[in-house]
Each structure stands twice: as C-alpha cells, then as structure tokens.
Amino acid sequence: MNIDSIRTGYVIDHITAGKGMELYRLLGLEGLSCPIAIIQYAPSRKMGKKDIIKIDADMPLNFDVIGFVDPGATVNIIRDSRLVEKKTLALPRILRNVVKCKNPRCITSTEQELDHVFRLTDKGQKVYRCIYCDTKNG
Ligand code: ZN
C-alpha cells in the first residue's frame, strides 16, 4: 500500500503523539481487512510530533470516537484520490457504546443489551458521566 495515494478513505491527521493506537483500537480498525497505516511520532511543524492513521477503504467512521480520544485531530476525507472534506472535531456531547461503565453495580453490567451511554458534563475537564449511574469516565 502506498500510504500517500489513498483512493477512497480517510487520513486522520494531527493526532496527539502516542494516541494513535488507542484511537485505532476504539475505532475497531483491528478487525478490518483493508489497508490501514498508523504512523507514530511523525515530525510535525505545528505539533512537534503527531500520529497519523490512514485508511484506504470506503467505510463508516465514528467521528464521535475520534473527537472523544482527540478533539484536536482532523479528518481528511478522500474520494477518487481527491480531498473532498477536511473535518475538524470536537468533544462529542454524548458517547454511545464507545467506552463501558466501570461501576460493577451499574445497570449496564447486568443488562447486557443496554447501550453504554455517557454524557459530557464538563467540557473544560473532559468529564463524561454514565447516564445510568453517574460514574465518571474519561
Ligand atoms: Zn454506569
């Protein structure tokens, strides 16, 4: 795979150095059989160092996950070898099935079919709370 010539897919750029693998895992990219490249600690004029993920596949991408892991990242959307959109991200207000509640007494640990939903309660601190039991996460 030539990582510089993606035909249709995404380049997730400006990821905080060291967060690329966490993002890769939370996006569920490890289970996919398409060309994916992670570049870690790439030199960046703006950031010093950064991680980059390149995905050469037309697949749905969960932008909430990216915003949650790294709201400073940008996503370049590529169609037919052309950059069609440059998306900037923000902390999502609601996180659905991205992280699990850690409280063993939370209803989500006994009711397996329930969605794991967290609400952003403090934007400055990046505090998310479980909507069922109010336990903090993230
Ligand atoms: Zn909970």
Side-chain angles (χ1 to χ4, degrees), residues 30-55:
E30 55 204 337
L32 299 176
S33 50
C34 58
I36 294 172
I38 303 185
I39 299 144
Q40 293 182 286
Y41 298 95
S44 161
R45 237 179 305 159
K46 202 162 72 177
M47 303 167 70
K49 300 252 181 256
K50 65 177 180 181
D51 287 1
I52 305 163
I53 298 178
K54 301 189 179 195
I55 304 164

Side-chain angles (χ1 to χ4, degrees), residues 101 103 106 108 130 132-133:
C101 183
N103 176 7
C106 180
T108 56
C130 176
Y132 307 104
C133 71

Side-chain angles (χ1 to χ4, degrees), residues 7 11 14 18 25 39 61 63 75 82 111 124 127 129:
R7 283 184 309 276
V11 177
H14 305 114
R25 203 170 37 79
I39 299 144
L61 203 57
F63 293 104
V75 182
R82 288 219 177 107
E111 303 286 324
V127 174
R129 287 183 185 277

Side-chain angles (χ1 to χ4, degrees), residues 101-103 105-108 117-118 130-135:
C101 183
K102 285 180 280 197
N103 176 7
R105 282 196 296 249
C106 180
I107 187 164
T108 56
V117 185
F118 284 79
C130 176
I131 62 160
Y132 307 104
C133 71
D134 219 34
T135 294

Side-chain angles (χ1 to χ4, degrees), residues 53-67:
I53 298 178
K54 301 189 179 195
I55 304 164
D56 198 352
D58 187 9
M59 54 170 267
L61 203 57
N62 189 337
F63 293 104
D64 284 351
V65 172
I66 306 168

